Amino acid sequence: LLKHRVIVIVPMTNAQGYFNNKREETVDGNSVDPNRDFPYASNEDCLRSVASRTIFQLAKNMLFTIGITFHGGDNTIAYVWGSPNHSKHLRGKRVAEEAPDYTAVRAVADQLQEEAGSCSRHNIPQYRVGAMTDMVYDCPGGMEDWAYAFGWSNSTSDKAIPSSCHSLSKDELLGNPDAIRFPFYLIETAYNKRPPEKSLGSQEGIFEKRGRWTYCKEHSSGSKNSRPGSSIFSKHKI
């Protein structure tokens, strides 16, 4: 994998929120949720947080082919769509429309689910898989839908990208849009937002196929690997 890909890891995307033990950043005295701060299906009051601007600049300057963002609070692998403009009411609840690349996006999610496995010993089920609206909820300004559609939205009938964003000019916002059109998976790693350290795996387990659940087989003091809020991207080497 490392011979053919560059893997970019942002260990703690929302560093300020992590430090203050809350999801919002404080910007000009106001609370800003980085999870709703991206320029897709949103108004022009976006890209205000350090977290969202960090991901935005990374994506603009590197040709990512896939991304994963780790969160906590559920046991889910989710993908596009998760925005209100691509959801509809069905049998009394909101459900997502199928994305244009649904077949490929779903196939990768199913493979991630298979590789992750489950852990009955610690009552951890296999990941649920589905669109973000179906698995979690829909919201404007989400990072995952932005990453997937930013590069082509305004050239189609979708047209969900604002003309400007906070302090960015139109050229700064829309420059090099072709770089940003990749599937970004939301992985809710566990129902417990603060899981016990032993459930985080071990350094030895990193290189095992079932490394996520190495601790199911043997007791380990564990090590603090990726925590909810980190992001991983992959790009082709040139």
Side-chain angles (χ1 to χ4, degrees), residues 74-140:
D74 207 323
N75 196 65
T76 300
I77 298 173
Y79 47 80
V80 292
W81 295 105
S83 53
N85 60 320
H86 287 294
S87 64
K88 56 187 177 182
H89 285 284
L90 182 66
R91 300 186 183 92
K93 67 176 184 177
R94 302 286 287 180
V95 296
E97 300 173 355
E98 282 193 1
D101 300 289
Y102 168 78
T103 300
V105 169
R106 176 66 194 226
V108 173
D110 287 341
Q111 188 63 43
L112 291 171
Q113 179 196 49
E114 173 63 24
E115 292 297 320
S118 61
C119 183
S120 58
R121 173 178 171 180
H122 292 276
N123 195 32
I124 299 176
Q126 189 175 49
Y127 279 126
R128 301 182 305 132
V129 175
M132 285 177 288
T133 297
D134 303 352
M135 297 290 100
V136 190
Y137 46 73
D138 60 353
C139 67

Side-chain angles (χ1 to χ4, degrees), residues 3 9 15 21 29-30 40 48 53 68 81 88 101-102 104 112 117 125-126 130 139 153 159 170 175 187 189 216 227:
K3 291 181 179 179
I9 300 177
N21 195 30
N30 299 311
Y40 185 80
R48 293 176 294 163
R53 293 199 304 272
I68 298 173
W81 295 105
K88 56 187 177 182
D101 300 289
Y102 168 78
L112 291 171
Q126 189 175 49
C139 67
S153 173
K159 297 192 184 307
K170 183 176 181 180
I187 299 186
T189 57
C216 284
R227 290 188 175 192

Side-chain angles (χ1 to χ4, degrees), residues 174-194:
L174 300 178
N176 196 25
D178 290 342
I180 307 176
R181 50 174 72 201
F182 60 94
F184 210 142
Y185 292 88
L186 166 67
I187 299 186
E188 296 277 357
T189 57
Y191 293 112
N192 186 352
K193 285 182 176 285
R194 293 185 175 275

Side-chain angles (χ1 to χ4, degrees), residues 219-231:
H219 292 288
S220 171
S221 60
S223 63
K224 293 183 178 180
N225 298 324
S226 295
R227 290 188 175 192
S230 59
S231 300

